[in-house]
Amino acid sequence: MTRLDQPKLAGVMGWPISHSLSPRLHGYWLREHRIAGSYVPLPVKPENLEHALRALPRLGFRGVNLTVPHKEKALLFMDNVSDIAKRIGAVNTVFVDERGSLSGTNTDAEGFLKNVRLTADHWDESQPAVVLGAGGAARAVVAALIDSGVPEIRLFNRTRSKAENLASSIAGPIRVYDWSQRADSLSGAGLLVNTTTLGMVNQPPLEISLQALPKTAVVNDLVYAPLETALLTDARTLNLNVVDGLGMLLHQAVPGFAGWFDVQPKVTEELRTFVLAPV
Ligand code: ATR
């Protein structure tokens, strides 16, 4: 099959998948660029992941995004895996080539960095960064910060051993501390990133005093439901630079869309408003 014979078809695999914002986001770009294509939600149970991925070429898909709980497991079922996906240990974007091979990459690190750089254009990357959490999102954020040349990453996680595993599997200037010390770690930091689920709807709040952060620091919460978390409200009260969690979701989607549909889409205010609007 040549590229031209491949239908303009992509989607997102997850379990559950009904809450994913990705179909709305890619649907917006398809309409904006008048592409006669589709981006569909694909509910795939964990035990069916390998079969579902292997079926993509035969179903005519150009690729998919992967979300919870498939990102880590999918590494095993790719024919090629990019270096960044190997470092993060997870695949979030899959490309199907004309021979039916699956190439997996991870665009979360790039999406995170683009979002913080564009939203907080005076972020001082020569200052230490503080990262809360040690799950999949934290791995992408830490890899991005190392690649951007941040001199020190102070990593905090409730389960300290997970932070230590992260630090030993991604080479870089990472220092692991106890979760209870998180508020003491903020002096001299240029950036604070929350990658935990704390502050999300139906989750406990993230408790941290931001008093010790320098006045020039940037605070980024990856939580986007709600968009305005208590962490961001506290940061605004202290006149700190604030970056919400939706931007990373939008920016990580750009390379997938560009690879599947041959158009470089843009992240705009209109897109944000559309994605956030009640369905
Ligand atoms: P993701 O892939 O989005 O990063 P994850 O892998 O489930 O999600 O990670 C969730 C993160 O939130 C973890 O760092 C988790 O800490 P543990 O490793 O100790 O589980 C953190 N987290 C979740 N609930 C928490 C809580 N009540 N207090 C502190 N951290 C919490």
Side-chain angles (χ1 to χ4, degrees), residues 219-239:
V219 177
N220 176 204
D221 202 336
L222 300 197
V223 170
Y224 58 82
L227 196 57
E228 180 72 12
T229 58
L231 175 69
L232 297 188
T233 304
D234 289 353
R236 278 187 220 282
T237 307
L238 293 169
N239 269 328

Side-chain angles (χ1 to χ4, degrees), residues 133-138 157-159 162 179 195-198 204:
N157 194 48
R158 175 181 60 177
T159 313
K162 270 177 71 183
W179 179 244
T195 78
T196 74
T197 48
L198 294 173

Side-chain angles (χ1 to χ4, degrees), residues 13-16 42-55 66-71 73-74 76-77:
M13 284 184 186
W15 185 263
L42 298 164
V44 174
K45 286 187 180 166
E47 61 269 31
N48 295 332
L49 179 63
E50 180 173 9
H51 284 307
L53 285 167
R54 288 281 160 219
L66 296 170
T67 186
V68 178
H70 300 320
K71 289 185 182 189
K73 199 66 188 290
L76 301 172
F77 310 130

Side-chain angles (χ1 to χ4, degrees), residues 178-191:
D178 274 344
W179 179 244
S180 58
Q181 291 175 279
R182 60 197 181 280
D184 311 330
S185 69
L186 301 177
S187 67
L191 173 69

